[in-house]
Amino acid sequence: RAAGVVHYLALTALIIVGVAVWPMRGQELIAFNGQFVSDDFTVFMKMLIILGTILSLVISKSYLKRENMKRFEYPVLMLFATVGMMMMVSANDLIALYLGLELQSLSLYVLAAFKRDTTRSSEAGLKYFVLGALSSGMLLYGCSMIYGFAGTTSFDGLASVLGGDATVSVGLIVGIVFLIAGLAFKISAVPFHMWTPDVYEGSPTPITAFFAVAPKIAAISLFIRVMMDPFGGLVEEWRQIIVFISILSMVLGAFAAIAQTNIKRLMAY
């Protein structure tokens, strides 16, 4: 009986957060000793994330009742995932980035397996968890290598260390490659897309819609901030990687979607 009340409370909380975030545009705010930043870019992305979560909660209400999945944990997990995404968007440090990423991911693992009475949903959650743990390990390893060779995890500190004519070590480039691989998994870019079709197909329909919108917005905005703010001076070193995975993602998505008959797998591609 509490599920309906919690559902409306979650919607109310998201609307309140949106109203609180919108006036922060036009100014740059730094918090938590420089680990979090708020500017026009973060405000815009946060509003898109909040809107995507609200729409996902609205379309899921009747579905949860029809499929006998109406439990109060569902909107709570959605809120936790949204908090993680907003932390990702505002991250100004590799540690803050990882905290937001894991808060989002842990909630999404449970949401993927939320229809626990079906084998396909449980399989989707398990695949997402195992491959997500692998990508998180790659990302964390890349962060540790960047810290080891640059001496800082702050985006501002990395930008100052790597700016100008600073000599870039091979180890730092390897760390950036691992970081890109971990982030590419989160946006399901080729060749790190292997989890997406099975997870999208096995997850409940409103959750699949949520996966396709809000986490992608957060991951793309994080990708832009991470690559342009601290590593903007090394664009020649990582540009070809981004171009390569972008072309592969467009080509594979276009051709693999032709043979699909399942709408969820089509969304994945």
Side-chain angles (χ1 to χ4, degrees):
R1 288 177 295 179
V5 177
V6 175
H7 203 97
Y8 286 116
L9 286 175
L11 287 170
T12 305
L14 288 167
I15 294 171
I16 292 172
V17 170
V19 171
V21 167
W22 182 246
M24 298 170 70
R25 67 192 187 279
Q27 53 185 328
E28 184 172 349
L29 304 172
I30 306 294
F32 296 105
N33 199 26
Q35 294 197 27
F36 291 88
V37 64
S38 175
D39 51 25
D40 287 345
F41 176 74
T42 61
V43 169
F44 177 69
M45 288 299 179
K46 284 179 182 178
M47 293 304 296
L48 290 181
I49 291 168
I50 292 169
L51 181 61
T53 308
I54 289 174
L55 292 176
S56 298
L57 282 172
V58 169
I59 66 175
S60 63
K61 195 173 188 307
S62 59
Y63 178 89
L64 295 175
K65 185 176 182 180
R66 185 172 65 252
E67 297 293 327
N68 199 22
M69 292 168 49
K70 196 173 180 181
R71 294 190 289 273
F72 76 91
E73 294 94 338
Y74 179 86
V76 174
L77 288 168
M78 295 274 278
L79 288 182
F80 274 124
T82 305
V83 171
M85 292 177 220
M86 295 175 73
M87 287 176 65
M88 288 166 56
V89 171
S90 286
N92 198 40
D93 189 283
L94 293 176
I95 304 300
L97 177 157
Y98 186 72
L99 286 173
L101 193 66
E102 285 305 295
L103 179 57
Q104 174 213 268
S105 298
L106 290 172
S107 302
L108 296 184
Y109 298 153
V110 183
L111 285 172
F114 202 76
K115 199 173 182 180
R116 57 194 181 193
D117 296 330
T118 62
T119 306
R120 187 163 291 182
S121 182
S122 301
E123 180 186 353
L126 186 60
K127 284 183 177 179
Y128 195 12
F129 169 70
V130 172
L131 294 172
L134 174 64
S135 73
S136 295
M138 295 173 64
L139 185 141
L140 198 57
Y141 184 66
C143 292
S144 65
M145 290 193 69
I146 292 169
Y147 174 69
F149 285 94
T152 180
T153 58
S154 169
F155 288 0
D156 296 332
L158 287 169
S160 62
V161 169
L162 303 176
D165 298 326
T167 303
V168 181
S169 63
V170 176
L172 183 63
I173 300 300
V174 173
I176 294 174
V177 171
F178 273 102
L179 180 66
I180 292 174
L183 294 176
F185 177 92
K186 301 303 177 183
I187 60 173
S188 62
V190 176
F192 307 99
H193 68 291
M194 71 291 291
W195 62 274
T196 319
D198 291 336
V199 172
Y200 276 35
E201 183 181 8
S203 301
T205 304
I207 296 173
T208 302
F210 180 64
F211 283 172
V213 180
K216 293 290 188 298
I217 295 171
I220 288 290
S221 62
L222 179 64
F223 218 133
I224 294 171
R225 182 172 290 279
V226 170
M227 301 316 299
M228 295 307 299
D229 284 0
F231 305 118
L234 305 179
V235 65
E236 295 300 328
E237 279 77 8
W238 54 259
R239 176 189 290 162
Q240 59 268 33
I241 302 175
I242 304 300
V243 171
F244 179 69
I245 64 176
S246 299
I247 293 173
L248 280 182
S249 298
M250 288 185 285
V251 171
L252 181 74
F255 286 98
I258 294 174
Q260 293 300 322
T261 56
N262 186 294
I263 186 66
K264 291 184 179 181
R265 296 183 75 90
L266 186 63
M267 288 172 62
Y269 288 110

